Amino acid sequence: PIAGGLYNNSCLNLLEAYNKQLLAQTTYIDLLEAQVAATGGILDPKTGKLHEIEEALNLQLFDEISKDVLLRAKKAIRGFHDPLTGHLISLYEAIKQGYVSEVNATKNLEAQLATGGIMDTRLGIRIPVSKAITKSLVDEKIASRFKDSSRTGDGKYVDPNNGDSNLTYLDLIKRSVTDRVNNAVLIVVSKRFVSQRHLNQGHTSSEVTNFTSNTTTTASSSMISGTGSTSTMTGNTTEGPQPSTPESM
């Protein structure tokens, strides 16, 4: 999953990117939620380590206001408590039972689909989409909605680098770059585009910093120094570890 941002050749965690006004609040929370739904925790992009939610909060990888959303998203990995039976049920079962919002839960499933498979909460492992369908952990309608990475229009994500909307999570991953040292996926961010949205929301032009180059065009050859040593950045379509896609599961 997307662990942080790449800005001006520097690696930032998502809270840092949000505090620098490089991510809108909705995008910041969406990316955090997708991380938790896919892994059960929060990744530190500067070390590659996965942290439990409470630990990640103490490490300032996210802020207190996001905590409740992330605790709910964690149930996509750990399972939901069925008040009628007392058993743990899967995210998809919770959708069918009406225990969770279908819109939010579908985004959690999407994050899992884009990063290696649906979580089988009974076995505690990720399984391919085909097996998830046979085990009623997802249906074909939901699975087909997100497996075509070249199609947009049904997605709920926004590219913070250029404002493209209605992207799937897989679309966003494909637009990101990978730190080969920490194996962290980073979304390229540029203050120019976010600041333009701030202008539209009433900020004055003096509050906007303009940049003459778009970091997207240089991300594939960027060098960052987020961990005390230089880490080579590569685009997801070139070298380095690649996120799994639904077609390969």
Side-chain angles (χ1 to χ4, degrees), residues 41 46 60 74 91 101 109 114 145 172 178 184 201 220 224 240:
K46 298 178 183 179
Q60 297 185 324
K74 189 174 181 177
L91 177 58
S101 162
L109 281 174
R145 185 185 305 175
L172 210 55
T178 301
Q201 295 169 4
S220 63
I224 69 168

Side-chain angles (χ1 to χ4, degrees), residues 170-239:
L170 184 58
D171 290 328
L172 210 55
I173 288 176
K174 285 181 173 289
R175 297 183 181 203
S176 302
V177 295
T178 301
D179 178 351
R180 291 184 297 184
V181 174
N182 296 319
N183 198 27
V185 179
L186 306 175
I187 186 72
V188 179
V189 288
S190 169
K191 194 169 185 177
R192 174 175 56 178
F193 295 105
V194 175
S195 293
Q196 183 59 49
R197 288 199 292 274
H198 289 173
L199 269 179
N200 294 336
Q201 295 169 4
H203 288 243
T204 65
S205 58
S206 62
E207 295 174 302
V208 180
T209 303
N210 292 318
F211 291 86
T212 58
S213 62
N214 186 337
T215 54
T216 306
T217 61
T218 60
S220 63
S221 61
S222 297
M223 304 294 288
I224 69 168
S225 54
T227 60
S229 60
T230 302
S231 305
T232 303
M233 305 302 301
T234 63
N236 276 331
T237 56
T238 57
E239 301 178 44

